């Protein structure tokens, strides 16, 4: 079977410029892409010869490693079945971990074995490490060969995987953090039906909400953990005018960054507005224990299904210096060590999985954002917005408030976990933010010096 008989018969839509997403163009500037990376030792030689995809027959069977983000295993299997019906190619879906980190650790462990998948989850804090280890291939050539219309991907999402004029993954289950609130408790407390515009406003509302939440509950709850805590905390540190880093230069010792740490410290240990969930804040929210929380857009469908109250969604609140929301979630990458036949079949499935129709279906099923601009205002999504307006919040927030994540978190291997360690010291132990940040700083600097700096092009 040739790629041409396997390719979907329907024509690919051209990129659709959606007025509501005009602000995304600001994120396609050079600052949105990753750093320029060269081969170790400064060689300019390419790591592999270009493949003439027209001479490749796709494999008949491939394997996909996923953690089924947003409880998506059922819809993922649906896509697999439809893809086989259209192409004859079988896709074996493997639950490779419970979260992005578990999948990544398994992928790292399998890198020198014959157990590697043909397609793998590549989260915002792992895909760059995959590249540094030469574990994934650029997708531009094969996507162009398949007429995959890469220009139709939402620019802010696709360019997250770009550097040296190449893309190393394709957006799949992409998200931003959202502010979730219990509309029933909000109404009982006499509050307006909206999220707080600022964190200060939430603190003001705490007095009204305290009388409405259960005895062991709180106005606001959060959970921490790798690939999570340091993600939502970016909004809070930005809100104080701080950042994790300026490029790769750590800025955790600045007054603004320390103010961000102090803000979250006081939220838990001074004002008492917030409590820490032992496991999952979204579960505590859906049960009615806490009145509000921060959760991924990918948690939306689960919250709507589980909650016995009306769920409200809103942008993340601002701090005194503004704020913003970080993009996040995961893309999908193709391992570089697989055969061209396997890589072509994986790319065909990748194109199918993220086309206009299927990304809208995935969004509708999970709450993750549609990754193509043509899907944002598609009939499927318009019907979803009409029936469940909460789905619209994430799309609008991406346009209005999205901000590129600080380089250190997403490009330095292990930095996300270390930042989360400091955050847990502050939130759980009540540690002084300056001390917590000072403790992790040399460890992040070592990770950068050993694992990133040798691969950067000299001009960076």
């Amino acid at each position: 079977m040739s790629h041409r008989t396997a390719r979907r018969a329907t024509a690919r839509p051209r990129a659709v410029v959606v007025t509501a997403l005009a602000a995304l163009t600001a994120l396609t500037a050079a600052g949105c892409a990753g750093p320029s990376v060269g081969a170790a030792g400064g060689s300019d030689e390419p790591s592999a010869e270009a493949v003439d995809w027209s001479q490749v027959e796709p494999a008949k069977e491939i394997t996909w490693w996923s953690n089924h983000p947003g409880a998506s295993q059922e819809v993922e299997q649906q896509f697999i079945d439809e893809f086989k019906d259209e192409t004859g190619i079988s896709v074996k879906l493997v639950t490779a971990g419970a979260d992005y980190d578990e999948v990544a650790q398994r992928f790292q462990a399998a890198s020198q074995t014959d157990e590697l998948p043909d397609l793998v989850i590549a989260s915002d804090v792992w895909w760059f490490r995959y590249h540094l280890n030469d574990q994934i291939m650029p997708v531009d050539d094969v996507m162009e060969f398949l007429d995959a219309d890469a220009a139709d991907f939402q620019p802010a999402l696709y360019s997250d995987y770009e550097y040296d004029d190449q893309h190393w993954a394709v957006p799949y289950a992409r998200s931003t953090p959202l502010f979730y609130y219990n509309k029933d408790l909000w109404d009982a407390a006499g509050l307006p039906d909206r999220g707080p515009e600022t964190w200060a406003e939430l603190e003001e509302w705490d007095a009204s909400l305290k009388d409405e939440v259960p005895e062991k509950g709180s106005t606001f709850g959060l959970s921490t953990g790798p690939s999570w805590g340091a993600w939502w905390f970016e909004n809070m540190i930005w809100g104080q005018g701080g950042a994790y880093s300026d490029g790769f230069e750590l800025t955790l010792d600045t007054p603004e960054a320390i103010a961000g740490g102090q803000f979250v410290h006081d939220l838990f240990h001074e004002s008492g507005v917030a409590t820490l969930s032992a496991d999952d804040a979204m579960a505590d929210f859906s049960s009615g224990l806490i009145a509000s929380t921060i959760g991924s857009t990918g948690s939306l469908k689960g919250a709507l299904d589980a909650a016995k109250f009306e769920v409200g969604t809103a942008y993340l609140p601002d701090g005194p210096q503004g704020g913003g929301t970080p993009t996040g979630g995961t893309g999908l990458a193709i391992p570089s060590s697989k055969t061209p036949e396997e890589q072509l079949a994986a790319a065909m499935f990748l194109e199918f999985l993220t086309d206009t129709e299927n990304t809208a279906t995935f969004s509708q099923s999970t709450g993750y954002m549609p990754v193509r601009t043509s899907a944002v205002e598609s009939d499927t999504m318009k019907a979803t917005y009409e029936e469940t307006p909460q789905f619209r919040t994430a799309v609008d927030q991406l346009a209005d408030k999205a901000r590129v994540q600080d380089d250190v978190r997403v490009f330095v291997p292990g930095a996300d976990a270390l930042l989360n360690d400091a955050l847990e010291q502050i939130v759980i132990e009540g540690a002084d933010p300056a001390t917590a940040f000072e403790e992790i700083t040399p460890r992040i600097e070592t990770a950068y010096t050993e694992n990133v700096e040798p691969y950067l092009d000299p001009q960076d």
Side-chain angles (χ1 to χ4, degrees):
M1 177 185 62
S2 73
H3 82 277
R4 299 190 186 281
T5 57
R7 189 186 301 168
R8 303 193 74 192
T10 55
R12 292 283 176 231
R14 297 283 183 182
V16 177
V17 180
V18 182
T19 302
L21 295 177
L24 288 177
T25 57
L27 293 176
T28 62
C32 190
S36 296
V37 176
S43 170
D44 292 327
E45 291 299 317
S47 58
E49 293 184 5
V51 174
D52 182 357
W53 296 108
S54 67
Q55 301 302 309
V56 176
E57 293 287 332
K60 299 291 187 181
E61 182 176 352
I62 56 173
T63 299
W64 174 22
W65 281 9
S66 178
N67 66 306
H68 322 304
S72 58
Q73 185 168 1
E74 184 176 341
V75 71
E76 286 179 339
Q77 189 59 55
Q78 173 189 322
F79 293 147
I80 287 170
D81 294 342
E82 292 172 355
F83 179 69
K84 184 176 181 180
D85 288 344
E86 289 200 13
T87 67
I89 298 174
S90 299
V91 179
K92 180 181 179 183
L93 180 61
V94 174
T95 304
D99 53 37
Y100 299 148
D101 292 274
E102 287 188 9
V103 175
Q105 289 158 13
R106 182 171 174 179
F107 185 64
Q108 300 290 306
S111 62
Q112 302 301 319
T113 73
D114 58 1
E115 298 299 318
L116 276 178
D118 303 291
L119 194 65
V120 66
I121 289 289
S123 82
D124 59 337
V125 298
W126 279 100
W127 69 268
F128 188 62
R129 194 180 316 193
Y130 293 170
H131 165 72
L132 291 181
N133 294 334
D134 291 325
Q135 291 174 296
I136 55 177
M137 61 175 271
V139 298
D140 301 82
D141 285 350
V142 69
M143 295 295 278
E144 182 179 359
F145 172 71
L146 293 173
D147 295 331
D149 195 9
D152 186 40
F153 285 120
Q154 292 207 39
L157 303 182
Y158 192 39
S159 59
D160 276 345
Y161 311 106
E162 179 186 359
Y163 54 84
D164 287 345
D165 299 321
Q166 292 181 306
H167 296 83
W168 297 77
V170 166
Y172 169 54
R174 295 304 308 274
S175 58
T176 60
L178 284 180
F179 185 89
Y180 289 82
Y181 65 100
N182 183 324
K183 288 195 172 194
D184 292 358
L185 292 179
W186 245 240
D187 183 60
L191 298 176
D193 184 12
R194 61 172 175 81
E197 294 178 358
T198 64
W199 287 110
E201 187 171 45
L202 180 66
E203 292 180 284
E204 292 171 7
W205 290 353
D206 179 56
S208 300
L209 286 164
K210 276 189 186 301
D211 294 335
E212 306 300 333
V213 297
E215 183 179 350
K216 295 184 179 180
S218 65
T219 290
F220 182 65
L222 285 171
S223 52
T224 59
S227 289
W228 179 239
W231 189 43
W232 56 253
F233 182 57
E234 280 203 288
N235 161 267
M236 297 180 180
I237 200 169
W238 290 340
Q240 300 294 324
Y244 295 140
S245 66
D246 179 5
F248 282 115
E249 182 180 353
L250 280 170
T251 54
L252 292 171
D253 60 348
T254 63
E256 294 83 3
I258 294 170
Q262 192 65 49
F263 166 77
V264 74
H265 173 281
D266 293 349
L267 206 61
F268 284 86
H269 298 286
E270 296 296 331
S271 66
V273 170
T275 55
L276 186 70
S277 294
D279 184 24
D280 184 357
M282 284 303 299
D284 288 347
F285 171 73
S286 298
S287 71
L289 182 64
I290 55 178
S292 59
T293 190
I294 292 176
S296 166
T297 59
S299 300
L300 176 56
K301 184 62 164 59
L304 292 172
D305 290 344
K308 294 182 174 157
F309 53 84
E310 190 174 359
V311 174
T313 56
Y315 293 0
L316 295 188
D318 283 343
Q321 301 299 318
T325 183
T327 57
T330 191
L332 290 169
I334 301 173
S336 55
S337 62
K338 305 301 286 189
T339 67
E341 290 77 13
E342 293 163 331
Q343 291 171 340
L344 179 57
M348 290 167 60
F349 180 59
L350 190 56
E351 179 211 9
F352 177 87
L353 198 62
T354 59
D355 71 9
T356 300
E357 178 184 348
N358 287 335
T359 190
T361 299
F362 187 76
S363 178
Q364 186 182 52
S365 302
T366 62
Y368 282 103
M369 291 179 291
V371 300
R372 288 187 177 272
T373 58
S374 56
V376 170
E377 298 299 338
S378 65
D379 290 343
T380 297
M381 291 310 300
K382 283 181 178 178
T384 299
Y385 304 145
E386 183 70 26
E387 181 178 350
T388 315
Q390 294 95 329
F391 277 86
R392 183 90 214 193
T393 307
V395 174
D396 290 343
Q397 182 178 234
L398 181 67
D400 295 341
K401 303 281 284 187
R403 181 168 168 178
V404 179
Q405 292 195 60
D406 298 334
D407 283 357
V408 157
R409 179 179 182 254
V410 291
F411 294 126
V412 177
D416 169 73
L418 289 170
L419 290 165
N420 183 74
D421 286 349
L423 184 60
E424 290 186 338
Q425 290 179 44
I426 296 167
V427 169
I428 299 173
E429 302 170 19
D432 173 65
T435 302
F437 291 158
E438 183 180 12
E439 192 273 330
I440 65 166
T441 293
R443 297 158 69 191
I444 295 177
E445 289 174 339
T446 297
Y448 167 73
T449 301
E450 293 181 353
N451 301 315
V452 178
E453 190 174 34
Y455 299 91
L456 295 179
D457 285 341
Q459 61 267 29
D460 294 336

